[in-house]
Amino acid sequence: MNNIERRLTVPDIQAKKGGEPIVCLTAYTAPTAEVLDRYVDLLLVGDSVAMVLYGMETTLGISLETMIGHGKAVVRASNTALVAVDMPFGSYQGSKEEAFRNAARIMSETGCQAIKLEGGVEMEDTVHFLSERGVPVFGHVGLRPQSLHTAGGFRSHGKDHREADQILRDAEAIAQAGAFAIVIEGTVEPVAARVTENTPVPIIGIGASPRCDGQVLVTEDLVGMFNTFRPKFVKRYAELNGEMAKAVEKFSRDVRQRRFPDAEHCFGAEPRKVSG
Ligand code: KIV
């Protein structure tokens, strides 16, 4: 539980480098944000919403408008966690000016405190351009779901020297350019640990290393509400899908047997006579 009374800021997150691990979870909706807010430092409105809530096969199909809608809900329902919203595929890669226009829309329309974008060395100029203009940038290196087609699918990264060095260069480039924190995804443990040691900003791991400065997971994965596939790095802390199925089964039985609604759930109804 975090014991703060106000919303965490970008400098608060930066100051956590090397300290108590930073807790980050995804949230796409108000009810989820409300539950998570007091337990996490960072709420990420991830473009994983495409797969988790909309049943898409990749994150590529989600629009800026949809991300903004989810961002608004999460900001409204939270008080203390810093909220970062993912920039969707195609909204920032074209030019740094386009990236700024879309980042500014996300920030002004949702009220979030930061945006997240994927990429390393090739995004250096964009990260610098945004950071210099008041847009806090949360970076994302290693496995980058928006580049899954060029990377050859969802697979772990950093296994060979060439890829390991590239990830180190990517993290260094965007940290130098002004990213206030960086997600490292699906990266072999020793490389994620090296990135954490060598980069001056907090490194938040997902499928990476316990030596990162913090951890992030997709909330629906950890509570057992997303079953399409289960990456190796997901730890299930609950099985809410099973609980939901049980509740819905009971409801459907009650409706079919006319046991719901009962007097307690009706307006002006006579108490039901219990026979026998
Ligand atoms: O979109 C997302 O949820 C993410 C996290 C998995 C880091 O980028």
Side-chain angles (χ1 to χ4, degrees):
M1 175 112 55
N2 65 39
N3 292 316
I4 48 164
E5 300 285 320
R6 59 167 179 81
R7 202 183 279 284
L8 286 169
T9 62
V10 163
D12 290 330
I13 299 293
Q14 284 170 313
K16 290 178 182 287
K17 173 79 191 174
E20 187 184 38
I22 297 165
V23 182
C24 178
L25 282 173
T26 59
Y28 317 125
T29 64
T32 298
E34 223 171 278
V35 173
L36 304 187
D37 190 36
R38 76 186 62 176
Y39 302 106
V40 304
D41 302 302
L42 259 153
L43 284 171
L44 172 65
V45 185
D47 59 357
S48 51
V49 68
M51 301 169 75
V52 177
L53 291 198
Y54 292 96
M56 297 179 191
E57 275 184 19
T58 71
T59 59
L60 304 181
I62 206 77
S63 68
L64 187 65
E65 283 65 32
T66 305
M67 291 307 299
I68 289 174
H70 288 285
K72 281 182 187 172
V74 170
V75 170
R76 268 188 220 123
S78 60
N79 295 306
T80 57
L82 183 146
V83 179
V85 177
D86 257 341
M87 296 196 72
F89 179 66
S91 70
Y92 62 95
Q93 293 92 341
S95 70
K96 52 189 199 283
E97 289 79 11
E98 183 192 30
F100 180 77
R101 266 194 306 279
N102 288 327
R105 265 197 73 189
I106 293 176
M107 292 198 66
S108 63
E109 293 181 35
T110 67
C112 72
Q113 291 74 50
I115 57 87
K116 180 165 82 54
L117 55 79
E118 297 180 11
V121 174
E122 79 287 4
M123 279 296 142
E124 195 175 347
D125 283 353
T126 301
V127 172
H128 187 248
F129 193 80
L130 297 184
S131 309
E132 289 279 287
R133 284 160 181 76
V135 178
V137 178
F138 193 9
H140 188 147
V141 302
L143 189 166
R144 300 183 241 149
Q146 292 180 9
S147 302
L148 96 157
H149 295 304
T150 44
F154 292 111
R155 58 171 181 82
S156 61
H157 285 242
K159 282 191 178 137
D160 62 52
H161 284 305
R162 192 193 52 79
E163 229 178 51
D165 289 347
Q166 185 61 52
I167 296 169
L168 277 155
R169 276 200 301 277
D170 284 342
E172 193 188 334
I174 57 171
Q176 291 302 329
F180 72 94
I182 300 172
V183 167
I184 186 163
E185 179 167 358
T187 297
V188 295
E189 209 275 328
V191 175
R194 262 172 72 203
V195 169
T196 307
E197 276 157 29
N198 295 338
T199 314
V201 301
I203 303 295
I204 316 290
I206 174 163
S209 167
R211 286 153 72 191
C212 290
D213 299 301
Q215 301 295 326
V216 56
L217 278 182
V218 168
T219 300
E220 281 74 3
D221 279 338
L222 95 86
V223 299
M225 287 209 75
F226 182 65
N227 288 322
T228 308
F229 63 90
R230 194 191 300 195
K232 171 183 161 66
F233 54 76
V234 168
K235 179 171 174 183
R236 288 282 184 107
Y237 286 81
E239 295 295 343
L240 294 195
N241 259 357
E243 289 303 307
M244 193 166 165
K246 273 191 238 162
V248 173
E249 189 192 359
K250 275 190 202 149
F251 170 76
S252 66
R253 208 182 314 124
D254 281 358
V255 169
R256 291 194 175 107
Q257 296 175 357
R258 296 196 188 281
R259 290 207 304 233
F260 179 87
D262 53 19
E264 192 192 336
H265 300 105
C266 289
F267 298 101
E270 294 284 312
R272 186 144 29 96
K273 289 188 186 69
V274 183
S275 56

